[in-house]
Amino acid sequence: MSVGDNIKRFREDAGYTQKQLAEIIQVKEPYISALERGQRRPGKKILPLLCDALGVDEKTILFGTREEYHRQLSYEEKVLLAATESLSKDQLREVIQYMMKLKASGE
């Protein structure tokens, strides 16, 4: 599942409309819609707010639950997951921020 699919599912599980979730995390409703459609990704300030509002951790929002992760992980993905398991929230946010910059640069 994509990040947007995860956000939508957890929002619905929590019983919120897009408007209600937007009000809780103090953003505009179209932003929630764009997140769920995969047109936007939650930034480093919004991700923790989403997690708190939806009652899930950052890894679950970004990657889904382990039970949903059906495909076989590559060696690199396994190493990345193992490396991030013991990181603090702040450290994990830094890793995510770095990865997003790396992806944006096309390297």
Side-chain angles (χ1 to χ4, degrees):
M1 295 185 103
S2 71
V3 173
D5 292 331
N6 292 335
I7 293 169
K8 181 178 181 177
R9 183 172 51 104
F10 294 124
R11 174 185 59 78
E12 289 174 344
D13 288 350
Y16 297 133
T17 64
Q18 287 183 347
K19 182 177 182 178
Q20 290 169 325
L21 180 58
E23 289 172 357
I24 291 168
I25 65 171
Q26 299 180 350
V27 297
K28 297 187 185 234
E29 185 178 350
Y31 179 76
I32 300 296
S33 178
L35 287 174
E36 292 183 0
R37 290 191 319 268
Q39 294 175 329
R40 302 215 39 191
R41 288 185 59 90
K44 67 180 182 176
K45 292 181 181 178
I46 297 297
L47 185 58
L49 299 174
L50 273 171
C51 292
D52 288 344
L54 300 175
V56 295
D57 62 25
E58 292 179 8
K59 287 181 185 178
T60 303
I61 287 279
L62 296 175
F63 305 111
T65 61
R66 291 186 188 265
E67 296 82 31
E68 295 169 344
Y69 216 75
H70 296 291
R71 70 176 178 87
Q72 183 69 20
L73 297 177
S74 70
Y75 171 76
E76 292 81 4
E77 290 168 322
K78 289 177 184 176
V79 170
L80 181 60
L81 284 173
T84 61
E85 281 184 353
S86 63
L87 295 180
S88 70
K89 283 187 177 185
D90 289 337
Q91 290 171 322
L92 186 57
R93 286 186 199 115
E94 287 182 39
V95 170
I96 291 168
Q97 185 177 29
Y98 174 77
M99 291 172 60
M100 292 175 80
K101 286 180 183 177
L102 188 62
K103 184 177 180 180
S105 73
E107 294 182 27

